[in-house]
Structures are given as structure tokens and as C-alpha cells.
Amino acid sequence: MQDIIIVGGGIIGVMIARKLSQYDLNVLLIEKENDVGNVTSMANSAIIHSGYDPIPGTLKAKLNVLGNKQFDLICKQLDVDFKRIGTITVCLDENDVFKLEALKNRASENNVEAFLLSKEELLKLEPNLSDNVVKGLFCPSGGIIDPFNLCVHCMENACENGVKLHLNEEVINISKDGELFSVVTNKDSYKCKIVINAAGYNADKIASFIEKIDFDIIPRKGEYFVLDHFDDSFLNHVIFTLPTNKGKGVLISKTTSNNYIIGPSSEICLKDDYSCDKLTLDSVKISASKMFKNIPFNQTIRTFAGIRATPSTHDFIIEPAKSDKYFINVAGIESPGLVSSPAIADYVIDNLISPILVLKKKKNYNPNVRKYVHFLKLSLDEQNELIKKDKDFSKIICNCEKVTLGEVKDVLNRYVKPQTIKAIKKRTRAGFGKCQSGFCQANVLDILANYYHVSPLEILYDKNGSNIIYSLTKNNGDKND
Ligand SMILES: Cc1cc2nc3c(=O)[nH]c(=O)nc-3n(C[C@H](O)[C@H](O)[C@H](O)COP(=O)(O)OP(=O)(O)OC[C@H]3O[C@@H](n4cnc5c(N)ncnc54)[C@H](O)[C@@H]3O)c2cc1C
């Protein structure tokens, strides 16, 4: 029997799992995908927003600001790349300056430091801003993060502290049996005292297992360009257009790996529709080019889409089911969900769990994840030292991103094991470069097949059915082939 079952291993589920792991509890996280953070939490802008934009008084505003403050410590503990480079929201029309001023007032109400800057002041910070820019709002506490390893390292640390993780397992029903819930998956069934529904844009479906719900989750897609590393000084901050009623607007930003990201669009879509289309991407291109000069779209190495879980209530839905305080919905977590995630976890534990369950701190809780190896970030002496200890660090398996075999073996030797080529890519960056896995995919495929003792035919790129190799061209041992 579990004390708590968390449904969903996106950033919300894993952040709650990690914060719960400091208590003496049996916690199980169930995730339908073959990795944590493999849905919305990996396909977003990866901005640690300052909190100038959400409407004052909402949960979004409160939890965004509280969450933002936690990231320096969390990223140190979890060994995740994070840089507070600041954000600038630009106004491109004199007639819209009042909107920027309204944002500045909102920032003040939300207790967020924000400065209105003139065109001249902006150009000193960002020389490549377009001539159209008339004014901007600078928020120094905004930042950029590695969203992939944030999820993975967070879950890893939760597991190091005793949380159990079941991947590849889909929750298909939940019912109440006396005092306990019965959580049924496609593989098994489990009893628990408390269910936390952190199922992203499927949270409406999970919530309706227990009662008729009074909210909807509307999937809304955002499409992006990713550019290769080309010039570190091209851009220094995250640059946004003015927000609209469809979201925060288009942005251009560096990523923590010194790529550039441009997007997102915002259009209602079907759940699980991750397609990108030229028309939408062209509109992103036009919006971005209005605020920034000479964006080298010819350096595009990838386009991708993420899906927002837009709530019909216009705010995060973090509350117990109407009929059962032991069933907790954490639903409609659209942007700024990533930055709010640590504060959402605190809110759930302090306000919704602690009144119904005795929480006793563990003596041996360790908030620091076992350090990961980042070979490229080491000095030459440190690299040589590492190679002396383990020759696998001298073998480069991804030429573009200079990832070593040693690093891949390190991530395989963890609780949250990568099972696919994409899972290795998210953890180590093998495949993130200009050739987009052209060279390293075969290497990674071999490493995975050897590690799991399976045929290379069984290795997936990502989801079920994404096998890389469909059949062998020669049958082993058949001399006539
Ligand atoms: C385009 C875009 C841009 C964004 N930009 C930002 C940003 O810059 N900054 C920011 O703070 N936020 C941003 N966000 C929002 C942020 O990404 C989300 O708020 C956050 O990732 C939501 O996390 P989640 O855990 O709720 O959802 P998810 O990451 O979707 O996780 C839910 C998990 O539940 C699992 N699941 C679903 N059903 C079941 C089931 N039946 N059984 C088991 N598991 C199940 C899913 O597989 C999934 O892994 C953006 C979002 C989008 C789409």
C-alpha cells in the first residue's frame, strides 16, 4: 500500500515527488511514457519567468514569483544549468506603450523588479534589437534553464530519497474502495491513501475518474525554431513581444546550451498533435523579425511543438476533488508552470496534504543529486584526470556536441534510466547538434542495445513504434544471404 500515488511525471509530478521525498512516506509516481518530462515539460520555452505578466492575486502570479526565487538553490542541488540573464518585453508601436506601462504596474503589484527602458537604453543592452522598438520592460530576475535535466535530475533525486517510479504504465481508472483509492493501470493496480493528479493536458480525464468535473483543459500548441550555436553575443537576454490574450507572445532567447530558440505560436489543437506547419512557423518568423534584426533562420537545426494545458478557469487548478479531499488535482498548469513548479509543490504539500496526512521529516534526506559528469565543461587537466580513471571518457560518441561514452554510461547507471535514443539525447546532448544525430544515432543505438541486452531492432527513438531499424538486411549465420 502506498501513502501517495502521483499520476504523471512531468515537472509538476516530479517536483511534488522530490519535495515529498523529504518525509517518511511511501510515494509512487506512475508515468505512461518511457521517460519523465517527456510531454509538455520538455517542449516549452524553458524560461524562468520573473512574474511580471500573470494577473495579480491569481495562483499563477503568486506561485510564479515564489517559484522563481527557488531556482538558484534547486539548480545547484540538482546539477541543472540555469542562468538569470533577464528578460526584456519590447513595445513596437508608440500606441502600445500604455500596455507596457500596465505590465510594469502589474510587475509592481506582483512584487517583481521591473524597469521601463528607452530605446537608447535598450540598444545598449541588445544592439540587434529592431529599429521598430520604441520602449521595453526589463526584468532582471528572469532566466533560462535546461528543462530536460530539470525533470530528470529532480526525479533522480526523489528516487535517491526513496520515491518509486513506474515508467511505461498508464493509469486507466481510479476508484475509492472504503478509505483507500484503487489506482488501476494497464499493468497492475495499487492501493493508496492520497492521489495527486499531475497528468498535464490529460488531467481532466484523470479527474473525471472520481467525479463529474467543472473545468475543461484546452490543448493549445506552440511551434518553435531552434538555431544552431553561431555567435554567443548575438543576443544577451530573453526578448518578448507584448503578451496577448493567447499567451506571452513570441520570444527569442538563448538556451542554456547556447542555441537560440524562437517561438512559440499559439493555436488550439488536438491532444498529442505535435506537428509543425510552414504557415504557422512563417508567422513566428515575421513576429520575431519585427523585434530583432538579422535573425539567421538559415541556421535552423530543428522545429518543434509543445502543447499547453490551458484551463477554462484561466488560472492553475490546484485543489481537492469536490467530493474527496484525498484526491488532489494539479491541473491546467500552462505557462508559467515550469517556473511555478517548486512553489506548486510547496502549495500542494503545505495546504492540501499536511492537513490530511501526518508528515514526519526523514533523518537521512539528501537534497543533492549525485553529481553528473559534464566532460566539455571540465578543464583540460580535469578531463585528463578523468580519462586516466576511465578510458570511456576519451571516446567521443557525438561529434557535434562532444559527448563521451563515459557520460552516456553515467546516465545509464542511475535510477531514472534512459530507455531510448531521445532519453540519452535529453540527458547528455548527444544528437542535439548540427547533424541532428546523423553520426551519433548509430553509436547510441548500439550502446542501448548492449546495455539492455536486446536486439538493435527493439531500440526506440522515442515513443512506441519509433524503432530506428525495422529489419536486418542479412540474417546472422545464413551464408546464402
Ligand atoms: C509552448 C509552451 C511554452 C511554455 N513556456 C514556458 C516557459 O517558458 N516557462 C514556464 O514556466 N512554463 C512554460 N510552459 C508551461 C510548462 O511547460 C508547463 O506548465 C509544464 O511543463 C506542465 O507540466 P505538467 O507536469 O503539468 O505537464 P506534463 O509535462 O505534460 O506532464 C504530465 C505527465 O502526465 C503523464 N500522464 C498523462 N496521462 C497519464 C496517465 N493516464 N497515466 C500516467 N501518466 C499520465 C504524461 O505522459 C506526462 O508526462 C510552456 C508550455 C508550452 C506548451
Side-chain angles (χ1 to χ4, degrees):
M1 207 262 295
Q2 304 297 322
D3 291 306
I4 300 179
I5 288 183
I6 301 170
V7 184
I11 190 60
I12 301 304
V14 301
M15 207 49 100
I16 294 172
R18 175 173 181 256
K19 295 236 180 190
L20 283 174
S21 74
Q22 60 187 305
Y23 301 104
D24 221 342
L25 295 171
N26 288 321
V27 179
L28 166 65
L29 188 148
I30 303 177
E31 167 55 54
K32 71 176 168 53
E33 300 286 316
N34 53 31
D35 200 4
V36 294
N38 216 37
V39 184
T40 302
S41 298
M42 74 165 177
N44 52 59
S45 308
I47 308 299
I48 296 307
H49 294 290
S50 56
Y52 66 86
D53 173 43
I55 296 171
T58 58
L59 275 179
K60 277 186 185 174
K62 185 175 157 198
L63 300 175
N64 181 156
V65 176
L66 289 173
N68 177 296
K69 294 195 171 99
Q70 296 194 35
F71 272 88
D72 301 280
L73 178 62
I74 286 182
C75 291
K76 201 165 158 226
Q77 292 174 330
L78 295 181
D79 195 5
V80 173
D81 285 338
F82 168 54
K83 295 176 187 159
R84 275 193 202 277
I85 60 174
T87 66
I88 299 175
T89 306
V90 293
C91 173
L92 304 173
D93 184 339
E94 285 290 355
N95 295 322
D96 284 339
V97 168
F98 78 97
K99 293 184 187 163
L100 205 64
E101 287 166 351
L103 272 187
K104 160 86 173 87
N105 292 338
R106 230 185 237 189
S108 307
E109 281 188 69
N110 289 343
N111 280 323
V112 173
E113 198 180 24
F115 305 93
L116 279 172
L117 300 185
S118 66
K119 183 169 185 165
E120 293 66 37
E121 289 170 317
L122 289 171
L123 285 171
K124 279 188 200 140
L125 295 178
E126 286 294 348
N128 290 322
L129 276 178
S130 113
D131 297 337
N132 305 325
V133 170
V134 291
K135 219 168 185 164
L137 186 71
F138 173 48
C139 295
S141 62
I144 54 175
I145 198 162
D146 168 358
F148 315 115
N149 280 322
L150 177 64
C151 285
V152 172
H153 295 192
C154 192
M155 191 67 225
E156 182 70 21
N157 186 237
C159 292
E160 287 171 337
N161 285 297
V163 172
K164 286 192 267 339
L165 169 67
H166 288 190
L167 292 172
N168 299 303
E169 204 166 330
E170 180 169 2
V171 172
I172 52 172
N173 197 21
I174 302 175
S175 55
K176 193 88 185 245
D177 200 2
E179 299 274 277
L180 299 178
F181 289 101
S182 183
V183 177
V184 182
T185 72
N186 55 345
K187 293 189 175 165
D188 213 333
S189 78
Y190 309 90
K191 299 269 182 224
C192 67
K193 295 179 193 157
I194 295 177
V195 171
I196 299 176
N197 168 15
Y201 56 72
N202 285 328
D204 49 354
K205 187 171 156 197
I206 300 294
S208 24
F209 287 144
I210 257 333
E211 64 184 9
K212 190 170 174 341
I213 56 170
D214 55 7
F215 61 86
D216 292 317
I217 303 290
I218 302 128
R220 209 153 36 83
K221 187 161 55 167
E223 298 181 29
Y224 293 88
F225 292 92
V226 181
L227 310 191
D228 197 11
H229 330 266
F230 59 92
D231 171 5
D232 285 355
S233 60
F234 177 65
L235 175 78
N236 306 310
H237 304 83
V238 184
I239 316 289
F240 289 99
T241 51
L242 277 170
T244 67
N245 57 358
K246 286 163 89 188
K248 291 194 177 55
V250 167
L251 64 86
I252 171 164
S253 174
K254 243 179 222 174
T255 67
T256 50
S257 52
N258 285 330
N259 291 87
Y260 290 92
I261 183 172
I262 301 153
S265 57
S266 184
E267 65 274 354
I268 290 174
C269 65
L270 295 174
K271 283 183 177 176
D272 300 333
D273 168 14
Y274 288 94
S275 60
C276 287
D277 69 281
K278 185 172 178 321
L279 216 61
T280 306
L281 286 169
D282 279 349
S283 74
V284 168
K285 221 181 232 187
I286 291 167
S287 298
S289 304
K290 278 186 191 155
M291 58 176 176
F292 220 74
K293 275 186 204 151
N294 303 324
I295 303 173
F297 283 100
N298 60 349
Q299 299 285 339
T300 301
I301 52 172
R302 196 168 188 87
T303 58
F304 73 90
I307 298 181
R308 305 167 180 89
T310 307
S312 53
T313 59
H314 308 294
D315 198 3
F316 295 155
I317 302 162
I318 311 176
E319 58 192 24
K322 302 276 173 289
S323 58
D324 195 327
K325 63 182 177 187
Y326 291 86
F327 187 99
I328 297 169
N329 288 313
V330 191
I333 311 296
E334 59 174 349
S335 188
L338 200 65
V339 52
S340 306
S341 57
I344 290 177
D346 289 338
Y347 184 90
V348 167
I349 293 170
D350 296 346
N351 297 303
L352 306 178
I353 298 182
S354 75
I356 55 174
L357 194 72
V358 176
L359 297 177
K360 201 173 127 232
K361 287 251 166 113
K362 272 180 198 157
K363 287 208 178 76
N364 55 352
Y365 170 68
N366 182 358
N368 302 309
V369 78
R370 176 160 66 84
K371 281 275 173 209
Y372 286 78
V373 184
H374 311 281
F375 190 76
L376 209 55
K377 288 188 195 161
L378 301 177
S379 68
L380 211 57
D381 283 349
E382 288 168 328
Q383 290 181 343
N384 283 331
E385 215 33 58
L386 200 56
I387 290 169
K388 265 191 224 153
K389 284 191 207 139
D390 186 344
K391 286 273 174 296
D392 284 341
F393 286 100
S394 67
K395 294 172 192 150
I396 301 280
I397 58 122
C398 168
N399 280 326
C400 302
E401 298 291 316
K402 304 281 177 288
V403 180
T404 63
L405 175 60
E407 287 161 278
V408 176
K409 287 196 170 167
D410 172 49
V411 296
L412 280 163
N413 185 24
R414 300 272 173 175
Y415 287 100
V416 189
K417 292 185 188 305
Q419 299 177 9
T420 64
I421 289 179
K422 185 159 170 189
I424 297 270
K425 177 177 169 179
K426 288 192 310 186
R427 286 160 174 76
T428 64
R429 298 199 49 74
F432 255 110
K434 205 181 199 94
C435 86
Q436 287 288 292
S437 323
F439 286 99
C440 63
Q441 189 157 289
N443 293 333
V444 175
L445 190 138
D446 268 347
I447 295 167
L448 282 170
N450 285 333
Y451 181 81
Y452 288 109
H453 305 291
V454 295
S455 153
L457 292 173
E458 289 182 41
I459 299 300
L460 300 175
Y461 173 72
D462 182 18
K463 309 215 183 272
N464 283 340
S466 63
N467 306 59
I468 302 283
I469 305 177
Y470 287 91
S471 65
L472 298 174
T473 51
K474 291 185 178 177
N475 288 329
N476 282 347
D478 187 341
K479 295 203 171 71
N480 293 327
D481 265 353

